[in-house]
């Protein structure tokens, strides 16, 4: 799942991010059709769990994702989180903007649990890999496929050095694998 994590404040944003997904698709689609592209969004804070603008935004998101899936391959998805009450702000907003969005999304992908979402496409469940992108990040062409191939290689193993992970060859523990 190649996922643009962002903020969705209008139906125009849905158009902008759908165009972004199309660009990502053309530069990083996989030959086997197993790379999916989508956005994970939070809506603006509100006085209640929903706002009058939500229906318009969600409708536009659905239209754009459906259009991409019908024009190209069925590899596009959208996830829009529900708001919860933030006592500190006295408003409703999505819990912990970016980190919370990713955590909730991965939980849903793994467990099939849509409860935390106003909208969640069905084609995300059971995915093996997740790549998070900021809305202004453009990965190099074919780089997503290369990254996944390193992760899947039978001689590759993850190593944690106390600060970060890297991958190395099982047969040559001192040799890092670079993507």
């Amino acid at each position: 799942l190649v996922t643009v994590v962002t903020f969705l404040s209008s139906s125009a944003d849905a158009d902008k991010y759908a165009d972004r997904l199309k660009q990502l698709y053309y530069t990083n689609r996989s030959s086997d059709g197993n790379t999916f592209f989508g956005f994970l969004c939070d809506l603006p804070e509100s006085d209640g769990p929903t706002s009058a603008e939500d229906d318009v935004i969600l409708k536009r998101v659905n239209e754009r994702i459906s259009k991409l899936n019908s024009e190209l391959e069925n590899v596009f998805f959208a996830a829009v989180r529900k708001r919860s009450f933030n006592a500190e702000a006295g408003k409703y907003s999505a819990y912990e903007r970016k980190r919370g969005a990713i955590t909730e999304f991965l939980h849903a992908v793994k467990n099939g649990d849509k409860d935390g979402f106003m909208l969640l496409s069905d084609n995300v469940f059971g995915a093996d890999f997740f790549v998070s992108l900021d809305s202004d990040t453009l990965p190099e062409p074919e780089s997503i496929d290369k990254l996944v191939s390193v992760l899947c290689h039978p001689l590759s193993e993850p190593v944690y050095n106390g600060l970060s992970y890297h991958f190395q060859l099982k047969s040559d523990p001192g040799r890092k694998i670079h993507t």
Side-chain angles (χ1 to χ4, degrees):
L1 301 174
V2 180
T3 310
V4 177
V5 183
T6 191
F7 188 75
L8 194 62
S9 60
S10 69
S11 57
D13 284 346
D15 292 331
K16 178 174 73 172
Y17 295 127
D19 291 342
R20 177 85 173 90
L21 295 181
K22 194 173 188 178
Q23 181 183 24
L24 286 168
Y25 169 82
Y26 280 122
T27 59
N28 277 285
R29 66 182 170 211
S30 62
S31 57
D32 60 8
N34 284 330
T35 303
F36 288 70
F37 303 87
F39 46 84
L40 169 58
C41 302
D42 287 337
L43 297 169
E45 70 180 14
S46 154
D47 291 329
T50 60
S51 75
E53 297 84 28
D54 291 354
D55 288 340
V56 173
I57 294 171
L58 293 173
K59 181 180 179 203
R60 189 62 182 159
V61 168
N62 264 327
E63 289 171 354
R64 290 303 307 263
I65 294 297
S66 294
K67 184 177 179 187
L68 287 171
N69 281 328
S70 66
E71 287 177 354
L72 303 166
E73 297 177 79
N74 187 28
V75 295
F76 296 94
F77 67 90
V80 181
R81 293 196 306 155
K82 289 180 181 176
R83 298 180 188 95
S84 58
F85 186 69
N86 179 340
E88 195 173 295
K91 299 252 184 192
Y92 285 79
S93 62
Y95 176 72
E96 284 190 359
R97 290 280 183 213
K98 194 171 201 174
R99 180 178 52 212
I102 292 170
T103 301
E104 279 189 64
F105 181 67
L106 293 177
H107 174 79
V109 167
K110 182 179 179 185
N111 299 310
D113 182 8
K114 290 184 170 187
D115 287 345
F117 294 85
M118 299 174 89
L119 171 69
L120 181 59
S121 302
D122 288 332
N123 59 354
V124 300
F125 302 118
D128 292 323
F129 299 102
F130 171 78
V131 177
S132 172
L133 302 174
D134 289 331
S135 59
D136 61 349
T137 303
L138 183 59
E140 292 290 321
E142 301 176 9
S143 61
I144 303 298
D145 238 7
K146 290 177 185 176
L147 173 63
V148 172
S149 68
V150 167
L151 298 173
C152 291
H153 195 282
L155 294 179
S156 174
E157 68 179 355
V159 176
Y160 183 67
N161 68 7
L163 298 173
S164 65
Y165 280 95
H166 71 270
F167 286 82
Q168 68 185 21
L169 294 174
K170 289 180 182 177
S171 60
D172 186 2
R175 185 172 179 190
K176 289 183 183 178
I177 301 172
H178 299 281
T179 57

